[in-house]
Amino acid sequence: MTKFLSCMQNFWSARLMAAPSALLVTASADAQARDVLKEAADRKNWGIQFTNSCEEAWRIANQFTAPVILCDSDLPDTEWRESVRTLAALPHRPIVILLSKVADEYLWNEVFRTGGFDILAKPLRTQDIRRAVKLALSCWRSEATMTVKQPA
């Protein structure tokens, strides 16, 4: 029994010390949203970097090739359509998810048309974040693999 507990302790210690499986960049000044996003990221071993502006999110996402960017619709420096368009156009083609108090079909179409991937409705729930980010990571990795495999 002691050996089993020792193995489990080693397993969880290694998991907690491991490098993040993905880096999320989040442009949001909403403290409540940040708390829920951090909780979801911690549970899935995703690194998360918070910013207060689209410009700062762009710089960090570009520097670290962040595959997923969560962008609040209420950023002070930019209208959300321009934020989504700008962030989705980064060279590594990150997946952009909009955080919004409204999540209807009209908004989803607008997000998609501007280059975004999905909407997470506020107040945020950890299970919705995990679902959306997991799908976004899968799509980003799939697109990255397909881009590499195409003949020159």
Side-chain angles (χ1 to χ4, degrees):
M1 183 70 161
T2 320
K3 187 171 184 168
F4 172 77
L5 292 175
S6 177
C7 281
M8 290 306 291
Q9 184 178 18
N10 290 340
F11 169 79
W12 285 109
S13 295
R15 180 165 168 76
L16 292 174
M17 298 301 280
S21 59
L23 175 65
L24 312 178
V25 173
T26 303
S28 177
D30 182 337
Q32 185 179 13
R34 284 182 173 210
D35 289 344
V36 178
L37 288 162
K38 179 157 179 27
E39 180 184 335
D42 287 349
R43 286 186 179 182
K44 292 303 250 178
N45 195 33
W46 296 327
I48 190 162
Q49 178 69 48
F50 292 106
T51 69
N52 291 314
S53 69
C54 177
E55 182 180 338
E56 191 179 4
W58 185 92
R59 184 179 51 74
I60 292 170
N62 194 40
Q63 180 180 355
F64 294 104
T65 316
V68 178
I69 301 173
L70 302 157
C71 180
D72 202 313
S73 61
D74 298 325
L75 287 175
D77 65 333
T78 316
E79 195 264 337
W80 73 262
R81 286 175 189 85
E82 186 59 31
S83 296
V84 170
R85 191 177 295 114
T86 300
L87 295 168
L90 282 164
H92 64 282
R93 311 301 275 170
I95 303 292
V96 180
I97 298 172
L98 186 70
L99 310 176
S100 176
K101 293 175 186 166
V102 178
D104 59 16
E105 189 173 332
Y106 173 78
L107 181 60
W108 193 91
N109 285 329
E110 284 292 303
V111 168
F112 187 71
R113 193 177 0 261
T114 57
F117 179 77
D118 201 355
I119 300 170
L120 282 172
K122 291 180 176 181
L124 299 174
R125 298 179 335 167
T126 56
Q127 61 268 30
D128 294 337
I129 296 165
R130 288 192 305 259
R131 175 202 49 82
V133 171
K134 187 176 176 181
L135 183 58
L137 286 169
S138 177
C139 288
W140 186 81
R141 289 175 179 141
S142 178
E143 285 181 21
T145 302
M146 288 172 44
T147 303
V148 170
K149 290 183 178 179
Q150 290 181 350

